Amino acid sequence: MPFFAYKARNSRGELVEGVLESADSGAVASQLFNTGVTPIQISVTSQPVRGEQTGWWSKITEPKILSIDVQLFSRQLYTLLKSGVPIMRGLAGLQESAINKAFARVIQDLREALDGGRELSAAMRRHPGVFSSFYISMVRVGEMTGQLEDIFIRLYAHLEFEREMSERVKSALRYPMFVMIAMVLAMIVINIFVIPAFAKVFAGFNAELPFMTRILLGVSNFMVQYWVMLLATAIVAIFAFRMFVASPGGRYQWDKFKLRIPIVGRIILKGTLARFARSFALSSKSGVPIVQALNVVAQTVDNHYIAMRIEQMRDGVERGESILRTAAAAGVFTPVVLQMIAVGEETGEIDDLMDEIASMYEHDVEYELKTLSANIEPILIVGLGVLVLILALGIFLPIWDLGKVALKR
C-alpha cells in the first residue's frame, strides 16, 4: 500500500504532521477523523517514515536512541498493558513523556502504523536500527499467543542483562586500554621530541654510539621525516580494516580471531554463550519452536563465528538430530553445559536448563572480569619495563660512557 504524508489540526488547533500507510487518501482522512484530528493536506510520499523537520545541526547534536531507551520503553509498555490501558493510548502517553526526541518520533511512527492497520511487530520492523530482529520476533510471538505484556517484561529483563554484561566488559577493559594508549602516546612523544634533542648532544661526542642508541636515532629520524606517510598509512589501515570487518568473510574471520586472543578471548566466548543461552530460554518460554528459536537467537549474538555454529545447530535439529548432538558438534560448549543440555532435553525442561547455563556463564564472566586486571597487569608491567630498558640503554648509556671518560681526564 502507498504512504501518504498529511498535515492536520488536533482538537486544540495545533498542527500535526505525519505519514500513514493506506489504500487511498480517503482512507487516510477517515483514520485521522477517527482519532479526533482534522486533515488539512494529504499527499502521496515515497518515504515510509518522516520525522520532524530538523536542521543539520539539530541532527548532529540530537541524542541517539540507546538500548536503555528501548529497555525503559519495554518496562513502561508492560505496565500500561497490564493495567488494561489500550496500546494506542499507551503509546500516545509514552510519546509525550519521551525525553529523547528521536525515540519520540519512532513511537509516533508506531502509532501511525497501528492506525494504518499494521501489527506492532510489523511497525517495529520499519526501525531496524532501534529494535533488533530478536526483539521484533519476540513481539510477534506475543501477538500470536496473546501474551504481549509478558513478552515485554521478559524483553526488559533480557535487555537489562545485555546492558549489565556490556558495562562489565567495558569497565574491566577501561584500565588496560588506558595504559596501552598511554604507552603508545609516550613512544610517539619520545621519538618525535625527546630523542631528537639527545641526538644533538650525541653528535658532539665524535665517537661511535652504542648499537641500541643508533637504532633509537634511526627510528626517531624516520618518524620525524615520514610522519605524514605514517599517519596516512595508519588512516588507510583503519579504513581497510573496517571494510574487511564489514564484509561477511572478514567479519567471520575477525570474530573467530577475537575468541583466540589470550585472556580476553575466553571472556568474549563465555559472554556470547551466556547471551545465546538467555535468548534461547526466553524464546522457548515464549512458545517459539526450537528451530525458529535457534534461527532468531543466531541473529542476536554479536559474533558471526558463534552465529554460524548456532545455525549449524538449527540445521541439525531440522534434520531430526537432538539438541545435545548438534551442540556437541558445534564445538563451543563445555562438557558441563553439554551434560545440562542432555538432562534438559531428556526431562523436557530445556528452557530452564538454558537459564541455568546462562547463569553459570554469567558467574564465570563476572569472575573473569574481576581477575582481568590482575591477569593483564604483569603483561603491562613487563611491557613498561622493556620500554624503560630500551630507553635507558639507548639514551643514558652514551651519557654514562661520556661521564666515565670525563672522570678519567
Side-chain angles (χ1 to χ4, degrees):
M1 289 190 293
F3 294 94
F4 294 88
Y6 68 85
K7 292 182 180 180
R9 298 281 182 183
N10 58 18
S11 57
R12 292 176 290 184
E14 298 172 341
L15 182 64
V16 179
E17 297 183 62
V19 177
L20 284 177
E21 183 181 10
S22 189
D24 51 38
S25 58
V28 174
S30 299
Q31 293 177 26
L32 294 174
F33 279 121
N34 292 335
T35 57
V37 177
T38 304
I40 300 174
Q41 178 183 346
I42 299 176
S43 58
V44 179
T45 180
S46 59
Q47 296 184 356
V49 181
R50 190 179 75 181
E52 299 175 4
Q53 298 296 325
T54 56
W56 64 271
W57 179 252
S58 299
K59 292 180 180 179
I60 294 176
T61 58
E62 183 180 61
K64 296 184 180 298
I65 299 176
L66 305 176
S67 59
I68 187 65
D69 296 319
V70 181
Q71 181 182 345
L72 294 177
F73 169 79
S74 305
R75 186 66 176 86
Q76 292 166 343
L77 203 53
Y78 159 75
T79 303
L80 292 170
L81 293 177
K82 185 179 180 181
S83 303
V85 178
I87 189 169
M88 288 297 297
R89 210 170 114 203
L91 289 175
L94 293 179
Q95 178 185 345
E96 293 179 1
S97 61
I99 299 176
N100 192 320
K101 293 183 179 180
F103 194 61
R105 288 198 296 272
V106 171
I107 298 176
Q108 178 186 355
D109 181 69
L110 296 180
R111 292 176 56 202
E112 293 171 352
L114 292 175
D115 279 337
R118 281 177 174 263
E119 295 179 329
L120 182 60
S121 58
M124 290 180 172
R125 195 170 289 113
R126 289 147 52 115
H127 303 276
V130 179
F131 304 103
S132 65
S133 57
F134 177 76
Y135 193 100
I136 296 171
S137 299
M138 290 297 98
V139 173
R140 176 61 178 163
V141 170
E143 292 171 337
M144 294 172 61
T145 59
Q147 300 178 352
L148 195 57
E149 59 185 55
D150 294 334
I151 291 295
F152 276 120
I153 192 60
R154 290 175 182 174
L155 285 172
Y156 168 79
H158 178 75
L159 292 174
E160 176 68 17
F161 160 74
E162 293 278 341
R163 190 172 65 86
E164 288 182 356
M165 288 287 292
S166 178
E167 290 297 327
R168 287 176 184 174
V169 173
K170 290 180 180 178
S171 176
L173 295 178
R174 190 174 293 119
Y175 169 71
M177 288 300 296
F178 176 78
V179 175
M180 292 295 295
I181 293 173
M183 289 177 62
V184 172
L185 292 177
M187 288 296 296
I188 294 174
V189 171
I190 289 172
N191 280 280
I192 294 179
F193 299 103
V194 178
I195 294 180
F198 278 97
K200 297 178 181 179
V201 178
F202 296 154
F205 287 180
N206 295 321
E208 184 179 358
L209 297 174
F211 177 72
M212 185 61 66
T213 304
R214 295 199 301 269
I215 292 179
L216 287 179
L217 292 177
V219 173
S220 176
N221 290 333
F222 181 80
M223 290 189 65
V224 171
Q225 293 179 10
Y226 301 100
W227 68 270
V228 176
M229 185 184 68
L230 292 174
L231 180 61
T233 303
I235 294 174
V236 171
I238 292 173
F239 276 101
F241 175 76
R242 291 173 65 91
M243 293 177 62
F244 173 75
V245 174
S247 64
R251 174 72 182 277
Y252 178 86
Q253 293 297 331
W254 171 241
D255 286 343
K256 184 178 180 180
F257 172 76
K258 286 192 298 185
L259 301 179
R260 298 178 177 177
I261 299 176
I263 302 176
V264 179
R266 65 171 179 262
I267 299 178
I268 297 175
L269 175 62
K270 291 179 180 180
T272 304
L273 293 179
R275 187 181 300 113
F276 156 74
R278 187 71 73 190
S279 302
F280 185 88
L282 174 59
S283 303
S284 181
K285 289 180 180 179
S286 302
V288 181
I290 292 179
V291 174
Q292 184 180 351
L294 289 173
N295 186 49
V296 172
V297 170
Q299 303 174 16
T300 64
V301 294
D302 191 21
N303 188 290
H304 195 63
Y305 175 77
I306 300 295
M308 294 292 290
R309 291 294 181 268
I310 297 174
E311 289 178 359
Q312 291 178 6
M313 292 177 60
R314 177 204 61 195
D315 296 339
V317 173
E318 283 183 329
R319 293 192 299 266
E321 299 179 8
S322 65
I323 301 178
L324 174 62
R325 184 173 180 180
T326 57
V332 293
F333 295 100
T334 61
V336 176
V337 172
L338 294 176
Q339 185 177 2
M340 295 180 69
I341 292 176
V343 173
E345 195 171 18
E346 184 176 352
T347 59
E349 298 180 353
I350 188 67
D351 50 353
D352 293 333
L353 267 297
M354 278 293 180
D355 263 334
E356 293 294 330
I357 292 172
S359 299
M360 186 180 69
Y361 274 130
E362 288 172 28
H363 290 308
D364 287 347
V365 170
E366 187 174 358
Y367 174 77
E368 295 281 359
L369 291 176
K370 287 181 179 178
T371 59
L372 179 62
S373 297
N375 293 329
I376 293 181
E377 277 180 2
I379 301 175
L380 297 178
I381 292 174
V382 171
L384 288 173
V386 171
L387 177 61
V388 172
L389 179 62
I390 292 174
L391 293 176
L393 293 176
I395 296 178
F396 298 110
L397 188 59
I399 298 177
W400 176 258
D401 293 339
L402 180 63
K404 289 193 297 183
V405 172
L407 289 176
K408 290 180 179 179
R409 290 180 183 179

